[in-house]
Amino acid sequence: MSGKVPGRSNLLGLNRSELEAFVATLGAKPYRARQLLKWIYRRGESDFARMTDLAKDFRAQLADVAEVSVPEIVSARTSADGTRKWLLRMPGAAGNEQVIETIFIPEPGRGTLCISSQIGCALDCSFCATGQQGFNRNLTSAEIIGQVWLANRELGREPDGERVITNVVLMGMGEPLANYKNVLPAMQLMLDDLAYDLSRRRVTLSTSGLVPQIYRLAEDSNVALAVSLHAPNDKLRDELVPINRKHPIAELLAASWHYLERQNGRSVTFEYTMLDGINDQPGHARELAVLLRGHDAKVNLIPFNTFPGTRYRRSPAATIDRFRDLLAQGGVMATVRRTRGDDIDAACGQLRGQVLDRTLVRLGSKMVRLAVRA
Ligand code: SAH
Ligand code: SF4
């Protein structure tokens, strides 16, 4: 966090009840917390002195004990297709410096922000650049919501005053359900009408399948759920998504249907990265259709995004289209995700921050990359 002063509480990332509890420690009424929410998130203000409807004494008191500390931007790039990518500096677990990535994808009528939840990822999916990087640490809730805060500041408003970020997806670096405790308050702030006020259908959590946490989420939140399936049977999924050995497909699907029912959701999206010759054959499509038909499920086919050192290749476009058609014939709706921002390495699964790629250091039993800026 830039400007993080030791001993001061960072108010960024506290959800409404946590902020109410905080202002209570200063002897202030709960409505002060509501005012703070509006200032920090709706108006993007980080300086208490400028929060003019707070009493002067209260502002001074806040400035003594608290701060709104946001991550620091290392670099910003814009792709030919308008996709934007920010690299944010983060202190790493071993005291070294790391970077994470936040991506903004503009489309007609909507703007999607793709945020990270961890530095690296421990789950080691074989086709994912983040997984290959290893795990460094969880992001704090301030660092998670701080990505939305910063992107909002950088993007401003549309000329007509409309907001630019209409959707947030937790599909950047990391497995959000492995960082449940920090992801939940950040998502609550995305939905809170005094903070970002996004509708529950416009916030999507993507998971590779941490089954117990999906049940927990069903009690705590109602955001849209995306599940990274990538294979129609356990034999293949064990290979691609190793967490499947712990939580096989049948359990994962049961948890997904439970979530949908408990939260009265519209559908679960199943992500399926198309790997040439691996999971893209007609037989796989038919097997997948049998698994999903009759449920409120949508399949999102993601053309594999390559990265240095990977053994996989992207399925040809014709193979992906045929796979989609076979799913449709099998009664399952599928769409093909258009790849965006790949000229700036901002596409799915390419998120590992090129600046990280210079030096490897040992952290416990793992090799992690030390951020050395180019
Ligand atoms: N950890 C979470 C969210 C982050 S990954 C998850 O796995 O769901 C977001 C999506 O990108 C996931 O569906 C993931 O499987 C997919 N993905 C990972 N690497 C990819 C690659 N190289 N090409 C295309 N998609 C990839
Ligand atoms: Fe982690 Fe998701 Fe990548 Fe798997 S696909 S290694 S869970 S970030």
Side-chain angles (χ1 to χ4, degrees):
M1 297 268 136
S2 65
K4 176 102 187 76
V5 180
R8 281 206 193 139
S9 304
N10 190 3
L11 301 191
L12 196 72
L14 301 186
N15 66 17
R16 196 189 287 210
S17 56
E18 290 166 337
L19 204 53
E20 283 172 355
F22 178 81
V23 300
T25 65
L26 304 180
K29 293 258 160 50
Y31 79 93
R32 292 293 184 200
R34 298 198 285 274
Q35 285 177 306
L36 276 167
L37 279 177
K38 285 198 218 164
W39 276 110
I40 297 171
Y41 301 102
R42 277 205 200 159
R43 303 203 193 181
E45 185 55 73
S46 57
D47 183 352
F48 299 123
R50 285 201 284 262
M51 300 185 180
T52 45
D53 61 357
L54 299 179
K56 261 219 165 97
D57 289 355
F58 183 54
R59 279 187 258 165
Q61 213 182 350
L62 282 171
D64 274 348
V65 298
E67 63 185 348
V68 177
S69 172
V70 296
E72 187 190 336
I73 297 177
V74 180
S75 70
R77 290 180 72 186
T78 305
S79 152
D81 65 17
T83 301
R84 295 179 64 166
K85 170 165 108 166
W86 296 278
L87 295 185
L88 308 180
R89 189 194 313 278
M90 300 281 162
N96 52 22
E97 195 173 88
Q98 298 281 338
V99 293
I100 59 136
E101 299 178 327
T102 304
I103 317 286
F104 176 71
I105 306 151
E107 285 171 299
R110 74 166 168 191
T112 304
L113 191 70
C114 176
I115 63 172
S116 297
S117 56
Q118 300 182 307
I119 303 179
C121 183
L123 295 185
D124 209 19
C125 301
S126 57
F127 55 89
C128 172
T130 307
Q132 307 303 297
Q133 178 195 332
F135 176 68
N136 184 284
R137 70 166 171 89
N138 283 329
L139 295 183
T140 64
S141 55
E143 290 163 342
I144 298 168
I145 202 69
Q147 297 170 61
V148 186
W149 194 98
L150 278 174
N152 247 317
R153 185 189 72 190
E154 296 299 301
L155 294 165
R157 291 241 163 200
E158 298 284 9
D160 58 6
E162 283 295 307
R163 59 175 139 204
V164 178
I165 299 170
T166 59
N167 296 58
V168 177
V169 295
L170 285 102
M171 293 187 187
M173 295 168 83
E175 166 51 51
L177 291 184
N179 184 14
Y180 194 94
K181 135 173 129 12
N182 297 333
V183 162
L184 187 65
M187 291 197 307
Q188 287 164 336
L189 288 164
M190 293 171 207
L191 304 183
D192 193 316
D193 57 347
L194 297 179
Y196 291 118
D197 194 21
L198 293 170
S199 98
R200 54 181 279 211
R201 303 194 198 285
R202 290 175 175 270
V203 175
T204 303
L205 181 144
S206 171
T207 178
S208 58
L210 298 190
V211 166
Q213 286 92 326
I214 295 175
Y215 283 101
R216 199 171 152 197
L217 190 72
E219 301 307 310
D220 295 341
S221 184
N222 60 4
V223 297
L225 183 67
V227 171
S228 293
L229 198 56
H230 307 306
N233 59 62
D234 285 326
K235 186 165 179 290
L236 183 54
R237 194 163 190 270
D238 280 353
E239 198 186 300
L240 301 177
V241 186
I243 193 72
N244 193 67
R245 295 175 205 154
K246 203 165 167 198
H247 304 298
I249 292 176
E251 279 180 32
L252 176 57
L253 293 181
S256 306
W257 311 141
H258 170 82
Y259 186 85
L260 205 54
E261 199 178 293
R262 181 82 181 89
Q263 288 306 337
N264 191 20
R266 275 189 197 151
S267 61
V268 174
T269 300
F270 291 92
E271 294 156 284
Y272 197 103
T273 296
M274 297 295 284
L275 305 166
D276 187 19
I278 305 282
N279 64 354
D280 62 351
Q281 299 303 299
H284 295 124
R286 290 190 203 102
E287 217 179 339
L288 184 60
V290 171
L291 281 184
L292 302 181
R293 84 164 54 116
H295 294 278
D296 293 317
K298 281 192 300 206
V299 174
N300 197 202
L301 300 172
I302 312 174
F304 172 66
N305 292 308
T306 190
F307 54 90
T310 180
R311 60 179 183 277
Y312 298 112
R313 285 182 319 258
R314 177 183 294 188
S315 308
T319 306
I320 300 179
D321 289 347
R322 183 183 56 180
F323 199 92
R324 181 197 54 206
D325 296 345
L326 284 172
L327 283 175
Q329 283 164 27
V332 175
M333 226 264 282
T335 50
V336 180
R337 186 180 296 176
R338 200 153 64 89
T339 294
R340 299 286 303 260
D342 50 358
D343 56 332
I344 55 167
D345 294 328
C348 299
Q350 291 182 319
L351 310 185
R352 63 172 172 182
Q354 301 298 320
V355 294
L356 283 172
D357 289 349
R358 316 265 176 227
T359 319
L360 283 168
V361 291
R362 187 165 285 283
L363 174 74
S365 59
K366 268 213 171 86
M367 296 304 285
V368 297
R369 287 177 175 85
L370 174 69
V372 176
R373 261 182 301 156

